[in-house]
Amino acid sequence: MTDLIRVEDHGAWRKLVLNRPEKLNAVNETMLTELIEALDDADGCRALLLTGEGRGFCSGQELGPAMIPGADGPPDLAAHASAYHHRVVRRIRALPLPVVCAVNGVAAGAGASFALACDIVLAARSAVFMLAFVRIGLVPDSGASFFLPRLVGEARARALAMLGEPVTAERAEAWGMIWRAVDDAALMAEAEALTAHLATQPTVALAKMKRLFSAGAANTLDAQLDLEAALQGEAGRTADYAEGVRAFIEKRAAVFGGNA
Ligand code: T3D
């Protein structure tokens, strides 16, 4: 392990920090492998916070000599994306706990995709999102072509992908691309407080919400209603549900254990 991903434990929640500030946290194979391991290791937590060190959140794939044709021909980007970037996105979406993203600075290329894969995204007012893929002759990957049209609509998604223009945090909030733009100085405290709050919530229900929203992207209304009923049935058998209702009746704050 190097320290390209810094893991900070805060009791029930954990902070993962992309830690290559001199390259605006551009990701390479080592860093992505560490990120995947850190995500795999987070199953026991009740919430995660993903952010970047320094003035950038993540400037996407590291662009270096390995990314241009060499003696063996062009790099196999399909295999590369599948083995690394896309595993990160799949893991974030599949984790049975909420993942908050604090976008502390520029989020470009796969860096923007990683942010959009998270459940709740806060961004510093000075941060920008950039589908930089087009600038180097690539297509949006790491889920950007899936997340973006669903978040901002196809007209904006197509223009952002084809133009690669930066979107400010405030515009991203106005367009529904992220949850909230926050003053730079307040970003980390707000993101940490939000993640800590989520870690006290009914974790099993939050995990089932993730399943619902993922499935909803492809389901018919009927199929989604069936899934809601099934997952509500499961949620209704958790100790947290019993505690939530009991707390309401007793007029006190619920104390959720996060258990099934
Ligand atoms: O492998 C696959 O499967 C393919 C998948 C690809 C997915 C992708 O992510 S494609 C998109 C890759 N990313 C980019 O194209 C973005 C490249 N970076 C930029 O365009 C700019 O750096 C930014 C707009 C993000 C920020 O600009 P600025 O002016 O604020 O900072 P800067 O001076 O350009 O960057 C600071 C340093 O970080 C600089 O290094 P230096 O000169 O001080 O030694 C710069 O080279 C380095 N850096 C930034 N991004 C990358 C990077 N180094 C390597 N790879 C990067 N992606």
Side-chain angles (χ1 to χ4, degrees), residues 22-24 26 55 59-63 67 77 80-81 85 109-110 132-133 136 141:
E22 70 283 5
K23 297 291 177 193
L24 305 181
R55 73 175 178 90
S59 58
Q61 169 61 37
E62 174 182 10
L63 302 177
M67 296 302 290
L77 298 189
H80 197 241
H85 312 72
F133 309 91
I136 55 168
D141 73 2

mmCIF file with all atom_site columns, all heavy atoms in Angstrom, residues 22-24 26 55 59-63 67 77 80-81 85 109-110 132-133 136 141, ligand 1:
data_model
loop_
_atom_site.group_PDB
_atom_site.id
_atom_site.type_symbol
_atom_site.label_atom_id
_atom_site.label_alt_id
_atom_site.label_comp_id
_atom_site.label_asym_id
_atom_site.label_entity_id
_atom_site.label_seq_id
_atom_site.pdbx_PDB_ins_code
_atom_site.Cartn_x
_atom_site.Cartn_y
_atom_site.Cartn_z
_atom_site.occupancy
_atom_site.B_iso_or_equiv
_atom_site.pdbx_formal_charge
_atom_site.auth_seq_id
_atom_site.auth_comp_id
_atom_site.auth_asym_id
_atom_site.auth_atom_id
_atom_site.pdbx_PDB_model_num
ATOM   1   N N   . GLU A 1 22  ? -0.357  17.008 -6.124  1.00 0.00 ? 22  GLU A N   1
ATOM   2   C CA  . GLU A 1 22  ? 0.500   17.683 -7.119  1.00 0.00 ? 22  GLU A CA  1
ATOM   3   C C   . GLU A 1 22  ? 0.015   17.407 -8.538  1.00 0.00 ? 22  GLU A C   1
ATOM   4   O O   . GLU A 1 22  ? 0.352   18.153 -9.467  1.00 0.00 ? 22  GLU A O   1
ATOM   5   C CB  . GLU A 1 22  ? 1.977   17.279 -6.937  1.00 0.00 ? 22  GLU A CB  1
ATOM   6   C CG  . GLU A 1 22  ? 2.331   15.850 -7.308  1.00 0.00 ? 22  GLU A CG  1
ATOM   7   C CD  . GLU A 1 22  ? 1.920   14.801 -6.266  1.00 0.00 ? 22  GLU A CD  1
ATOM   8   O OE1 . GLU A 1 22  ? 1.270   15.142 -5.271  1.00 0.00 ? 22  GLU A OE1 1
ATOM   9   O OE2 . GLU A 1 22  ? 2.241   13.608 -6.486  1.00 0.00 ? 22  GLU A OE2 1
ATOM   10  N N   . LYS A 1 23  ? -0.807  16.380 -8.746  1.00 0.00 ? 23  LYS A N   1
ATOM   11  C CA  . LYS A 1 23  ? -1.394  16.070 -10.061 1.00 0.00 ? 23  LYS A CA  1
ATOM   12  C C   . LYS A 1 23  ? -2.910  16.231 -10.021 1.00 0.00 ? 23  LYS A C   1
ATOM   13  O O   . LYS A 1 23  ? -3.642  15.600 -10.796 1.00 0.00 ? 23  LYS A O   1
ATOM   14  C CB  . LYS A 1 23  ? -1.039  14.638 -10.486 1.00 0.00 ? 23  LYS A CB  1
ATOM   15  C CG  . LYS A 1 23  ? 0.464   14.397 -10.671 1.00 0.00 ? 23  LYS A CG  1
ATOM   16  C CD  . LYS A 1 23  ? 1.000   15.149 -11.886 1.00 0.00 ? 23  LYS A CD  1
ATOM   17  C CE  . LYS A 1 23  ? 2.506   14.985 -12.038 1.00 0.00 ? 23  LYS A CE  1
ATOM   18  N NZ  . LYS A 1 23  ? 3.087   15.938 -13.003 1.00 0.00 ? 23  LYS A NZ  1
ATOM   19  N N   . LEU A 1 24  ? -3.376  17.043 -9.109  1.00 0.00 ? 24  LEU A N   1
ATOM   20  C CA  . LEU A 1 24  ? -4.826  17.252 -8.919  1.00 0.00 ? 24  LEU A CA  1
ATOM   21  C C   . LEU A 1 24  ? -5.546  15.911 -8.758  1.00 0.00 ? 24  LEU A C   1
ATOM   22  O O   . LEU A 1 24  ? -6.656  15.707 -9.229  1.00 0.00 ? 24  LEU A O   1
ATOM   23  C CB  . LEU A 1 24  ? -5.424  18.058 -10.084 1.00 0.00 ? 24  LEU A CB  1
ATOM   24  C CG  . LEU A 1 24  ? -4.754  19.413 -10.368 1.00 0.00 ? 24  LEU A CG  1
ATOM   25  C CD1 . LEU A 1 24  ? -5.445  20.122 -11.528 1.00 0.00 ? 24  LEU A CD1 1
ATOM   26  C CD2 . LEU A 1 24  ? -4.743  20.304 -9.141  1.00 0.00 ? 24  LEU A CD2 1
ATOM   27  N N   . ALA A 1 26  ? -5.001  13.039 -10.151 1.00 0.00 ? 26  ALA A N   1
ATOM   28  C CA  . ALA A 1 26  ? -5.160  12.182 -11.328 1.00 0.00 ? 26  ALA A CA  1
ATOM   29  C C   . ALA A 1 26  ? -4.934  10.738 -10.884 1.00 0.00 ? 26  ALA A C   1
ATOM   30  O O   . ALA A 1 26  ? -4.054  10.463 -10.060 1.00 0.00 ? 26  ALA A O   1
ATOM   31  C CB  . ALA A 1 26  ? -4.134  12.561 -12.402 1.00 0.00 ? 26  ALA A CB  1
ATOM   32  N N   . ARG A 1 55  ? -5.904  21.249 -4.132  1.00 0.00 ? 55  ARG A N   1
ATOM   33  C CA  . ARG A 1 55  ? -6.828  22.165 -4.823  1.00 0.00 ? 55  ARG A CA  1
ATOM   34  C C   . ARG A 1 55  ? -7.697  21.471 -5.862  1.00 0.00 ? 55  ARG A C   1
ATOM   35  O O   . ARG A 1 55  ? -8.525  22.110 -6.505  1.00 0.00 ? 55  ARG A O   1
ATOM   36  C CB  . ARG A 1 55  ? -6.063  23.334 -5.439  1.00 0.00 ? 55  ARG A CB  1
ATOM   37  C CG  . ARG A 1 55  ? -5.247  23.016 -6.671  1.00 0.00 ? 55  ARG A CG  1
ATOM   38  C CD  . ARG A 1 55  ? -4.630  24.274 -7.251  1.00 0.00 ? 55  ARG A CD  1
ATOM   39  N NE  . ARG A 1 55  ? -3.792  23.984 -8.404  1.00 0.00 ? 55  ARG A NE  1
ATOM   40  C CZ  . ARG A 1 55  ? -4.230  23.951 -9.665  1.00 0.00 ? 55  ARG A CZ  1
ATOM   41  N NH1 . ARG A 1 55  ? -5.499  24.200 -9.931  1.00 0.00 ? 55  ARG A NH1 1
ATOM   42  N NH2 . ARG A 1 55  ? -3.395  23.675 -10.647 1.00 0.00 ? 55  ARG A NH2 1
ATOM   43  N N   . SER A 1 59  ? -8.531  14.819 -11.320 1.00 0.00 ? 59  SER A N   1
ATOM   44  C CA  . SER A 1 59  ? -8.439  15.264 -12.717 1.00 0.00 ? 59  SER A CA  1
ATOM   45  C C   . SER A 1 59  ? -8.526  14.090 -13.692 1.00 0.00 ? 59  SER A C   1
ATOM   46  O O   . SER A 1 59  ? -8.085  14.195 -14.835 1.00 0.00 ? 59  SER A O   1
ATOM   47  C CB  . SER A 1 59  ? -7.146  16.053 -12.931 1.00 0.00 ? 59  SER A CB  1
ATOM   48  O OG  . SER A 1 59  ? -6.029  15.259 -12.595 1.00 0.00 ? 59  SER A OG  1
ATOM   49  N N   . GLY A 1 60  ? -9.112  12.986 -13.219 1.00 0.00 ? 60  GLY A N   1
ATOM   50  C CA  . GLY A 1 60  ? -9.354  11.854 -14.119 1.00 0.00 ? 60  GLY A CA  1
ATOM   51  C C   . GLY A 1 60  ? -8.132  10.979 -14.288 1.00 0.00 ? 60  GLY A C   1
ATOM   52  O O   . GLY A 1 60  ? -7.193  11.013 -13.486 1.00 0.00 ? 60  GLY A O   1
ATOM   53  N N   . GLN A 1 61  ? -8.165  10.205 -15.349 1.00 0.00 ? 61  GLN A N   1
ATOM   54  C CA  . GLN A 1 61  ? -7.067  9.288  -15.632 1.00 0.00 ? 61  GLN A CA  1
ATOM   55  C C   . GLN A 1 61  ? -5.747  10.041 -15.790 1.00 0.00 ? 61  GLN A C   1
ATOM   56  O O   . GLN A 1 61  ? -5.704  11.094 -16.444 1.00 0.00 ? 61  GLN A O   1
ATOM   57  C CB  . GLN A 1 61  ? -7.376  8.509  -16.921 1.00 0.00 ? 61  GLN A CB  1
ATOM   58  C CG  . GLN A 1 61  ? -6.217  7.722  -17.478 1.00 0.00 ? 61  GLN A CG  1
ATOM   59  C CD  . GLN A 1 61  ? -5.698  6.658  -16.516 1.00 0.00 ? 61  GLN A CD  1
ATOM   60  O OE1 . GLN A 1 61  ? -6.490  6.024  -15.810 1.00 0.00 ? 61  GLN A OE1 1
ATOM   61  N NE2 . GLN A 1 61  ? -4.396  6.447  -16.485 1.00 0.00 ? 61  GLN A NE2 1
ATOM   62  N N   . GLU A 1 62  ? -4.705  9.516  -15.202 1.00 0.00 ? 62  GLU A N   1
ATOM   63  C CA  . GLU A 1 62  ? -3.370  10.100 -15.380 1.00 0.00 ? 62  GLU A CA  1
ATOM   64  C C   . GLU A 1 62  ? -2.981  10.015 -16.847 1.00 0.00 ? 62  GLU A C   1
ATOM   65  O O   . GLU A 1 62  ? -3.007  8.939  -17.463 1.00 0.00 ? 62  GLU A O   1
ATOM   66  C CB  . GLU A 1 62  ? -2.344  9.334  -14.539 1.00 0.00 ? 62  GLU A CB  1
ATOM   67  C CG  . GLU A 1 62  ? -0.940  9.807  -14.798 1.00 0.00 ? 62  GLU A CG  1
ATOM   68  C CD  . GLU A 1 62  ? 0.108   9.033  -14.000 1.00 0.00 ? 62  GLU A CD  1
ATOM   69  O OE1 . GLU A 1 62  ? -0.243  7.999  -13.397 1.00 0.00 ? 62  GLU A OE1 1
ATOM   70  O OE2 . GLU A 1 62  ? 1.254   9.458  -13.989 1.00 0.00 ? 62  GLU A OE2 1
ATOM   71  N N   . LEU A 1 63  ? -2.652  11.160 -17.403 1.00 0.00 ? 63  LEU A N   1
ATOM   72  C CA  . LEU A 1 63  ? -2.240  11.198 -18.808 1.00 0.00 ? 63  LEU A CA  1
ATOM   73  C C   . LEU A 1 63  ? -0.714  11.227 -18.849 1.00 0.00 ? 63  LEU A C   1
ATOM   74  O O   . LEU A 1 63  ? -0.089  12.197 -18.444 1.00 0.00 ? 63  LEU A O   1
ATOM   75  C CB  . LEU A 1 63  ? -2.827  12.430 -19.498 1.00 0.00 ? 63  LEU A CB  1
ATOM   76  C CG  . LEU A 1 63  ? -4.365  12.511 -19.452 1.00 0.00 ? 63  LEU A CG  1
ATOM   77  C CD1 . LEU A 1 63  ? -4.847  13.794 -20.107 1.00 0.00 ? 63  LEU A CD1 1
ATOM   78  C CD2 . LEU A 1 63  ? -4.995  11.292 -20.127 1.00 0.00 ? 63  LEU A CD2 1
ATOM   79  N N   . MET A 1 67  ? -0.388  6.187  -21.852 1.00 0.00 ? 67  MET A N   1
ATOM   80  C CA  . MET A 1 67  ? -1.719  6.387  -22.419 1.00 0.00 ? 67  MET A CA  1
ATOM   81  C C   . MET A 1 67  ? -1.687  6.681  -23.916 1.00 0.00 ? 67  MET A C   1
ATOM   82  O O   . MET A 1 67  ? -2.724  6.985  -24.518 1.00 0.00 ? 67  MET A O   1
ATOM   83  C CB  . MET A 1 67  ? -2.428  7.531  -21.680 1.00 0.00 ? 67  MET A CB  1
ATOM   84  C CG  . MET A 1 67  ? -2.699  7.235  -20.213 1.00 0.00 ? 67  MET A CG  1
ATOM   85  S SD  . MET A 1 67  ? -3.703  5.756  -19.963 1.00 0.00 ? 67  MET A SD  1
ATOM   86  C CE  . MET A 1 67  ? -5.275  6.339  -20.574 1.00 0.00 ? 67  MET A CE  1
ATOM   87  N N   . LEU A 1 77  ? -7.902  0.686  -23.869 1.00 0.00 ? 77  LEU A N   1
ATOM   88  C CA  . LEU A 1 77  ? -8.661  1.485  -22.903 1.00 0.00 ? 77  LEU A CA  1
ATOM   89  C C   . LEU A 1 77  ? -9.926  0.769  -22.429 1.00 0.00 ? 77  LEU A C   1
ATOM   90  O O   . LEU A 1 77  ? -10.389 1.004  -21.310 1.00 0.00 ? 77  LEU A O   1
ATOM   91  C CB  . LEU A 1 77  ? -9.020  2.852  -23.499 1.00 0.00 ? 77  LEU A CB  1
ATOM   92  C CG  . LEU A 1 77  ? -7.838  3.753  -23.864 1.00 0.00 ? 77  LEU A CG  1
ATOM   93  C CD1 . LEU A 1 77  ? -8.334  5.156  -24.234 1.00 0.00 ? 77  LEU A CD1 1
ATOM   94  C CD2 . LEU A 1 77  ? -6.820  3.847  -22.737 1.00 0.00 ? 77  LEU A CD2 1
ATOM   95  N N   . HIS A 1 80  ? -8.760  -1.405 -19.723 1.00 0.00 ? 80  HIS A N   1
ATOM   96  C CA  . HIS A 1 80  ? -8.277  -0.575 -18.624 1.00 0.00 ? 80  HIS A CA  1
ATOM   97  C C   . HIS A 1 80  ? -9.442  0.008  -17.832 1.00 0.00 ? 80  HIS A C   1
ATOM   98  O O   . HIS A 1 80  ? -9.481  -0.063 -16.597 1.00 0.00 ? 80  HIS A O   1
ATOM   99  C CB  . HIS A 1 80  ? -7.397  0.548  -19.207 1.00 0.00 ? 80  HIS A CB  1
ATOM   100 C CG  . HIS A 1 80  ? -6.532  1.216  -18.196 1.00 0.00 ? 80  HIS A CG  1
ATOM   101 N ND1 . HIS A 1 80  ? -6.639  2.548  -17.905 1.00 0.00 ? 80  HIS A ND1 1
ATOM   102 C CD2 . HIS A 1 80  ? -5.556  0.732  -17.404 1.00 0.00 ? 80  HIS A CD2 1
ATOM   103 C CE1 . HIS A 1 80  ? -5.756  2.862  -16.973 1.00 0.00 ? 80  HIS A CE1 1
ATOM   104 N NE2 . HIS A 1 80  ? -5.076  1.782  -16.651 1.00 0.00 ? 80  HIS A NE2 1
ATOM   105 N N   . ALA A 1 81  ? -10.389 0.580  -18.559 1.00 0.00 ? 81  ALA A N   1
ATOM   106 C CA  . ALA A 1 81  ? -11.546 1.179  -17.873 1.00 0.00 ? 81  ALA A CA  1
ATOM   107 C C   . ALA A 1 81  ? -12.319 0.111  -17.099 1.00 0.00 ? 81  ALA A C   1
ATOM   108 O O   . ALA A 1 81  ? -12.726 0.327  -15.954 1.00 0.00 ? 81  ALA A O   1
ATOM   109 C CB  . ALA A 1 81  ? -12.452 1.873  -18.890 1.00 0.00 ? 81  ALA A CB  1
ATOM   110 N N   . HIS A 1 85  ? -11.388 1.931  -13.484 1.00 0.00 ? 85  HIS A N   1
ATOM   111 C CA  . HIS A 1 85  ? -12.360 3.008  -13.245 1.00 0.00 ? 85  HIS A CA  1
ATOM   112 C C   . HIS A 1 85  ? -13.772 2.466  -13.024 1.00 0.00 ? 85  HIS A C   1
ATOM   113 O O   . HIS A 1 85  ? -14.486 2.912  -12.134 1.00 0.00 ? 85  HIS A O   1
ATOM   114 C CB  . HIS A 1 85  ? -12.385 3.984  -14.425 1.00 0.00 ? 85  HIS A CB  1
ATOM   115 C CG  . HIS A 1 85  ? -11.036 4.426  -14.873 1.00 0.00 ? 85  HIS A CG  1
ATOM   116 N ND1 . HIS A 1 85  ? -10.161 3.601  -15.536 1.00 0.00 ? 85  HIS A ND1 1
ATOM   117 C CD2 . HIS A 1 85  ? -10.398 5.605  -14.739 1.00 0.00 ? 85  HIS A CD2 1
ATOM   118 C CE1 . HIS A 1 85  ? -9.050  4.246  -15.796 1.00 0.00 ? 85  HIS A CE1 1
ATOM   119 N NE2 . HIS A 1 85  ? -9.157  5.460  -15.326 1.00 0.00 ? 85  HIS A NE2 1
ATOM   120 N N   . GLY A 1 109 ? -12.995 14.554 -16.237 1.00 0.00 ? 109 GLY A N   1
ATOM   121 C CA  . GLY A 1 109 ? -12.980 13.203 -16.790 1.00 0.00 ? 109 GLY A CA  1
ATOM   122 C C   . GLY A 1 109 ? -13.563 12.205 -15.808 1.00 0.00 ? 109 GLY A C   1
ATOM   123 O O   . GLY A 1 109 ? -14.637 12.426 -15.235 1.00 0.00 ? 109 GLY A O   1
ATOM   124 N N   . ALA A 1 110 ? -12.840 11.100 -15.605 1.00 0.00 ? 110 ALA A N   1
ATOM   125 C CA  . ALA A 1 110 ? -13.330 10.082 -14.682 1.00 0.00 ? 110 ALA A CA  1
ATOM   126 C C   . ALA A 1 110 ? -13.509 10.644 -13.275 1.00 0.00 ? 110 ALA A C   1
ATOM   127 O O   . ALA A 1 110 ? -14.297 10.102 -12.489 1.00 0.00 ? 110 ALA A O   1
ATOM   128 C CB  . ALA A 1 110 ? -12.373 8.893  -14.659 1.00 0.00 ? 110 ALA A CB  1
ATOM   129 N N   . ALA A 1 132 ? -13.901 16.228 -19.487 1.00 0.00 ? 132 ALA A N   1
ATOM   130 C CA  . ALA A 1 132 ? -12.688 16.548 -20.258 1.00 0.00 ? 132 ALA A CA  1
ATOM   131 C C   . ALA A 1 132 ? -12.375 15.513 -21.336 1.00 0.00 ? 132 ALA A C   1
ATOM   132 O O   . ALA A 1 132 ? -11.455 15.721 -22.131 1.00 0.00 ? 132 ALA A O   1
ATOM   133 C CB  . ALA A 1 132 ? -11.501 16.665 -19.296 1.00 0.00 ? 132 ALA A CB  1
ATOM   134 N N   . PHE A 1 133 ? -13.137 14.439 -21.364 1.00 0.00 ? 133 PHE A N   1
ATOM   135 C CA  . PHE A 1 133 ? -12.841 13.327 -22.289 1.00 0.00 ? 133 PHE A CA  1
ATOM   136 C C   . PHE A 1 133 ? -12.653 13.826 -23.727 1.00 0.00 ? 133 PHE A C   1
ATOM   137 O O   . PHE A 1 133 ? -11.721 13.439 -24.421 1.00 0.00 ? 133 PHE A O   1
ATOM   138 C CB  . PHE A 1 133 ? -13.973 12.291 -22.256 1.00 0.00 ? 133 PHE A CB  1
ATOM   139 C CG  . PHE A 1 133 ? -14.355 11.814 -20.883 1.00 0.00 ? 133 PHE A CG  1
ATOM   140 C CD1 . PHE A 1 133 ? -15.347 12.447 -20.147 1.00 0.00 ? 133 PHE A CD1 1
ATOM   141 C CD2 . PHE A 1 133 ? -13.723 10.708 -20.317 1.00 0.00 ? 133 PHE A CD2 1
ATOM   142 C CE1 . PHE A 1 133 ? -15.703 11.997 -18.880 1.00 0.00 ? 133 PHE A CE1 1
ATOM   143 C CE2 . PHE A 1 133 ? -14.074 10.245 -19.054 1.00 0.00 ? 133 PHE A CE2 1
ATOM   144 C CZ  . PHE A 1 133 ? -15.070 10.898 -18.335 1.00 0.00 ? 133 PHE A CZ  1
ATOM   145 N N   . ILE A 1 136 ? -9.392  15.087 -25.223 1.00 0.00 ? 136 ILE A N   1
ATOM   146 C CA  . ILE A 1 136 ? -8.318  14.177 -25.640 1.00 0.00 ? 136 ILE A CA  1
ATOM   147 C C   . ILE A 1 136 ? -8.855  13.105 -26.601 1.00 0.00 ? 136 ILE A C   1
ATOM   148 O O   . ILE A 1 136 ? -8.232  12.058 -26.782 1.00 0.00 ? 136 ILE A O   1
ATOM   149 C CB  . ILE A 1 136 ? -7.612  13.532 -24.424 1.00 0.00 ? 136 ILE A CB  1
ATOM   150 C CG1 . ILE A 1 136 ? -8.622  12.819 -23.508 1.00 0.00 ? 136 ILE A CG1 1
ATOM   151 C CG2 . ILE A 1 136 ? -6.819  14.579 -23.644 1.00 0.00 ? 136 ILE A CG2 1
ATOM   152 C CD1 . ILE A 1 136 ? -7.955  11.921 -22.466 1.00 0.00 ? 136 ILE A CD1 1
ATOM   153 N N   . ASP A 1 141 ? -16.747 8.170  -19.881 1.00 0.00 ? 141 ASP A N   1
ATOM   154 C CA  . ASP A 1 141 ? -16.821 6.810  -19.327 1.00 0.00 ? 141 ASP A CA  1
ATOM   155 C C   . ASP A 1 141 ? -16.978 6.878  -17.815 1.00 0.00 ? 141 ASP A C   1
ATOM   156 O O   . ASP A 1 141 ? -17.286 7.933  -17.266 1.00 0.00 ? 141 ASP A O   1
ATOM   157 C CB  . ASP A 1 141 ? -15.622 5.952  -19.779 1.00 0.00 ? 141 ASP A CB  1
ATOM   158 C CG  . ASP A 1 141 ? -14.317 6.335  -19.105 1.00 0.00 ? 141 ASP A CG  1
ATOM   159 O OD1 . ASP A 1 141 ? -14.310 7.243  -18.247 1.00 0.00 ? 141 ASP A OD1 1
ATOM   160 O OD2 . ASP A 1 141 ? -13.290 5.715  -19.444 1.00 0.00 ? 141 ASP A OD2 1
HETATM 161 O O1  . T3D B 2 .   ? -7.644  4.546  -19.035 1.00 0.00 ? 1   T3D B O1  1
HETATM 162 C C1  . T3D B 2 .   ? -8.796  4.570  -19.429 1.00 0.00 ? 1   T3D B C1  1
HETATM 163 O O2  . T3D B 2 .   ? -9.570  3.683  -19.211 1.00 0.00 ? 1   T3D B O2  1
HETATM 164 C C2  . T3D B 2 .   ? -9.264  5.779  -20.145 1.00 0.00 ? 1   T3D B C2  1
HETATM 165 C C3  . T3D B 2 .   ? -10.137 6.542  -19.231 1.00 0.00 ? 1   T3D B C3  1
HETATM 166 C C4  . T3D B 2 .   ? -10.117 7.846  -19.234 1.00 0.00 ? 1   T3D B C4  1
HETATM 167 C C5  . T3D B 2 .   ? -10.950 8.578  -18.301 1.00 0.00 ? 1   T3D B C5  1
HETATM 168 C C6  . T3D B 2 .   ? -10.507 10.006 -18.176 1.00 0.00 ? 1   T3D B C6  1
HETATM 169 O O3  . T3D B 2 .   ? -10.465 10.462 -17.069 1.00 0.00 ? 1   T3D B O3  1
HETATM 170 S S1  . T3D B 2 .   ? -10.124 10.874 -19.576 1.00 0.00 ? 1   T3D B S1  1
HETATM 171 C C7  . T3D B 2 .   ? -9.820  12.500 -18.962 1.00 0.00 ? 1   T3D B C7  1
HETATM 172 C C8  . T3D B 2 .   ? -8.438  12.637 -18.393 1.00 0.00 ? 1   T3D B C8  1
HETATM 173 N N1  . T3D B 2 .   ? -8.275  13.923 -17.740 1.00 0.00 ? 1   T3D B N1  1
HETATM 174 C C9  . T3D B 2 .   ? -8.086  15.038 -18.421 1.00 0.00 ? 1   T3D B C9  1
HETATM 175 O O4  . T3D B 2 .   ? -8.077  15.090 -19.632 1.00 0.00 ? 1   T3D B O4  1
HETATM 176 C C10 . T3D B 2 .   ? -7.854  16.294 -17.592 1.00 0.00 ? 1   T3D B C10 1
HETATM 177 C C11 . T3D B 2 .   ? -6.417  16.752 -17.741 1.00 0.00 ? 1   T3D B C11 1
HETATM 178 N N2  . T3D B 2 .   ? -6.172  17.906 -16.898 1.00 0.00 ? 1   T3D B N2  1
HETATM 179 C C12 . T3D B 2 .   ? -6.571  19.124 -17.232 1.00 0.00 ? 1   T3D B C12 1
HETATM 180 O O5  . T3D B 2 .   ? -7.179  19.364 -18.267 1.00 0.00 ? 1   T3D B O5  1
HETATM 181 C C13 . T3D B 2 .   ? -6.214  20.228 -16.282 1.00 0.00 ? 1   T3D B C13 1
HETATM 182 O O6  . T3D B 2 .   ? -5.157  19.809 -15.471 1.00 0.00 ? 1   T3D B O6  1
HETATM 183 C C14 . T3D B 2 .   ? -7.396  20.654 -15.393 1.00 0.00 ? 1   T3D B C14 1
HETATM 184 C C15 . T3D B 2 .   ? -8.427  21.393 -16.242 1.00 0.00 ? 1   T3D B C15 1
HETATM 185 C C16 . T3D B 2 .   ? -8.032  19.463 -14.691 1.00 0.00 ? 1   T3D B C16 1
HETATM 186 C C17 . T3D B 2 .   ? -6.871  21.641 -14.297 1.00 0.00 ? 1   T3D B C17 1
HETATM 187 O O7  . T3D B 2 .   ? -6.153  22.671 -14.917 1.00 0.00 ? 1   T3D B O7  1
HETATM 188 P P1  . T3D B 2 .   ? -5.223  23.631 -14.036 1.00 0.00 ? 1   T3D B P1  1
HETATM 189 O O8  . T3D B 2 .   ? -4.704  24.689 -14.940 1.00 0.00 ? 1   T3D B O8  1
HETATM 190 O O9  . T3D B 2 .   ? -5.979  24.068 -12.827 1.00 0.00 ? 1   T3D B O9  1
HETATM 191 O O10 . T3D B 2 .   ? -4.032  22.702 -13.481 1.00 0.00 ? 1   T3D B O10 1
HETATM 192 P P2  . T3D B 2 .   ? -2.801  22.138 -14.305 1.00 0.00 ? 1   T3D B P2  1
HETATM 193 O O11 . T3D B 2 .   ? -1.658  23.084 -14.208 1.00 0.00 ? 1   T3D B O11 1
HETATM 194 O O12 . T3D B 2 .   ? -3.223  21.707 -15.656 1.00 0.00 ? 1   T3D B O12 1
HETATM 195 O O13 . T3D B 2 .   ? -2.470  20.797 -13.455 1.00 0.00 ? 1   T3D B O13 1
HETATM 196 C C18 . T3D B 2 .   ? -1.654  20.830 -12.311 1.00 0.00 ? 1   T3D B C18 1
HETATM 197 C C19 . T3D B 2 .   ? -0.689  19.666 -12.405 1.00 0.00 ? 1   T3D B C19 1
HETATM 198 O O14 . T3D B 2 .   ? -1.453  18.460 -12.463 1.00 0.00 ? 1   T3D B O14 1
HETATM 199 C C20 . T3D B 2 .   ? 0.119   19.704 -13.691 1.00 0.00 ? 1   T3D B C20 1
HETATM 200 O O15 . T3D B 2 .   ? 1.343   19.087 -13.418 1.00 0.00 ? 1   T3D B O15 1
HETATM 201 P P3  . T3D B 2 .   ? 2.716   19.928 -13.456 1.00 0.00 ? 1   T3D B P3  1
HETATM 202 O O16 . T3D B 2 .   ? 2.810   20.566 -14.794 1.00 0.00 ? 1   T3D B O16 1
HETATM 203 O O17 . T3D B 2 .   ? 2.555   20.935 -12.359 1.00 0.00 ? 1   T3D B O17 1
HETATM 204 O O18 . T3D B 2 .   ? 3.785   18.916 -13.179 1.00 0.00 ? 1   T3D B O18 1
HETATM 205 C C21 . T3D B 2 .   ? -0.664  18.808 -14.622 1.00 0.00 ? 1   T3D B C21 1
HETATM 206 O O19 . T3D B 2 .   ? 0.088   18.249 -15.646 1.00 0.00 ? 1   T3D B O19 1
HETATM 207 C C22 . T3D B 2 .   ? -1.127  17.733 -13.634 1.00 0.00 ? 1   T3D B C22 1
HETATM 208 N N3  . T3D B 2 .   ? -2.322  17.030 -14.109 1.00 0.00 ? 1   T3D B N3  1
HETATM 209 C C23 . T3D B 2 .   ? -3.579  17.472 -14.124 1.00 0.00 ? 1   T3D B C23 1
HETATM 210 N N4  . T3D B 2 .   ? -4.388  16.552 -14.629 1.00 0.00 ? 1   T3D B N4  1
HETATM 211 C C24 . T3D B 2 .   ? -3.598  15.496 -14.940 1.00 0.00 ? 1   T3D B C24 1
HETATM 212 C C25 . T3D B 2 .   ? -2.280  15.790 -14.605 1.00 0.00 ? 1   T3D B C25 1
HETATM 213 N N5  . T3D B 2 .   ? -1.272  14.945 -14.796 1.00 0.00 ? 1   T3D B N5  1
HETATM 214 C C26 . T3D B 2 .   ? -1.589  13.744 -15.355 1.00 0.00 ? 1   T3D B C26 1
HETATM 215 N N6  . T3D B 2 .   ? -2.831  13.390 -15.687 1.00 0.00 ? 1   T3D B N6  1
HETATM 216 C C27 . T3D B 2 .   ? -3.864  14.232 -15.515 1.00 0.00 ? 1   T3D B C27 1
HETATM 217 N N7  . T3D B 2 .   ? -5.121  13.841 -15.819 1.00 0.00 ? 1   T3D B N7  1
#
